Structure formats: structure tokens, C-alpha cells
Amino acid sequence: LEKERQKRIALDYPKMVSQLSMYIGAGFSVRQAFMQVGNAYVLQRERGHPERPAFEAVLRMNRKISDGEDEEGAINALGDSLMNKGVRKLTMLLAQSRRKGNAELRDQMEQEEREAYDKRRMDARIAGEEASLKLLIPMMGLLGVIFIVLMVPAFMQMG
């Protein structure tokens, strides 16, 4: 169950980074960007899309901030709650930019977005290779059945 959750978080991560990067690039603050990501997810859920654990965690984080919790602490808690290396890196980057007022945040977000999509592309390639290997065994069985169907009548005519 936890393994499946981690896979879903890994699939959600590039989309979340892309949305955050877009909003931060448009001039939103980190808090406003997370609010927009959460609002977009709520709209998707209302349209019948499945529940996504990473975006549910963003909604929980937004509620904590709205309830008065420290923004940096809530962002760090997001990384800790999802237990995903990419999300932790992202939350550390955002918390650091919040502390230092990092002017390079936009460039760093774009770089993180590229890395996340590259990793997703590699994961998809590996999954495709695994699927083709899994399909090879049934195809070998079908080849055996075809040989039997062809050879048995041939041997019966010879005898």
C-alpha cells in the first residue's frame, strides 16, 4: 500500500513542480502558488478525477497555513509527510528561498521541473521495458500452441 502511494507521489511530482514553477514564474509568492495548485486540484476532483496523495498533502499544508501555522514550517512538513526525495528537495529549495529572498528561485524551479520530467521519462521507459518482458512469456506459450496445432496434423498424416 505504501509502495503504491510512493509511486503515485512520484507520478504527481513533475506536475506539481510544473504548476509551482509556472505560478512562481508569473510573479506569485510561494504561498499563493501553493494555493493556486491546491485550487486547481480541487477543481479536478470536482470533475471526477481520482485522488492524488501529493496534491492532498498540498491541500493539508494550505489549510495549516490558513490556520496560522508558520509558512516555512508547513512547507518543510509537506516534504516530511510525503517522504519523497524530489518533494523534499523542492521544499528545501522553497524554504531556503523564503529565508534568503533568493532572486534565482524562478531559474531553480525551471531546472527542478526539467529534472523531474527527465526522471519521469526514464521511469516510463523502464516500465515499458518491464512490460514488454512480461508479455514475452505469454507470447512464447502461444508460439508453442501454434507449433502443436501445426505439427500434430502433419505427424498424423505421416503415420
Side-chain angles (χ1 to χ4, degrees):
L1 188 67
E2 182 61 27
K3 199 172 190 179
E4 180 63 31
R5 180 178 176 270
Q6 287 301 320
K7 279 184 182 179
R8 292 175 69 191
I9 290 170
L11 285 174
D12 291 345
Y13 178 65
K15 184 175 181 180
M16 183 169 48
V17 172
S18 173
Q19 289 177 345
L20 285 171
S21 177
M22 178 184 66
Y23 289 123
I24 289 171
F28 284 70
S29 69
V30 172
R31 179 181 179 175
Q32 291 170 330
F34 272 115
M35 290 293 188
Q36 290 298 323
V37 168
N39 292 341
Y41 171 70
V42 168
L43 288 174
Q44 285 183 338
R45 285 294 313 269
E46 288 173 356
R47 292 186 198 131
H49 288 264
E51 188 173 299
R52 308 303 300 178
F55 290 98
E56 289 291 331
V58 168
L59 288 178
R60 284 192 300 273
M61 183 199 70
N62 287 341
R63 275 188 233 112
K64 286 180 183 178
I65 292 173
S66 295
D67 291 344
E69 187 173 322
D70 174 48
E71 187 175 328
E72 187 175 332
I75 291 172
N76 286 329
L78 173 70
D80 295 339
S81 71
L82 291 176
M83 296 181 294
N84 178 283
K85 191 168 80 171
V87 176
R88 281 194 176 134
K89 181 179 175 186
L90 175 68
T91 56
M92 285 191 315
L93 175 75
L94 293 172
Q96 177 186 16
S97 74
R98 187 152 158 38
R99 274 192 306 262
K100 294 183 177 180
N102 194 345
E104 300 169 359
L105 178 62
R106 194 176 301 167
D107 295 333
Q108 291 173 332
M109 289 294 294
E110 288 174 5
Q111 180 182 353
E112 184 63 27
E113 182 181 2
R114 281 191 300 276
E115 289 174 10
Y117 274 109
D118 287 344
K119 182 173 180 347
R120 183 173 181 183
R121 193 171 29 248
M122 290 300 296
D123 290 345
R125 180 176 291 151
I126 290 169
E129 290 170 0
E130 289 174 359
S132 66
L133 279 174
K134 289 178 183 175
L135 289 173
L136 189 62
I137 294 169
M139 288 187 347
M140 295 295 281
L142 287 173
L143 182 64
V145 169
I146 291 171
F147 276 138
I148 291 171
V149 167
L150 293 174
M151 298 305 242
V152 167
F155 282 126
M156 290 177 76
Q157 281 188 354
M158 287 174 47

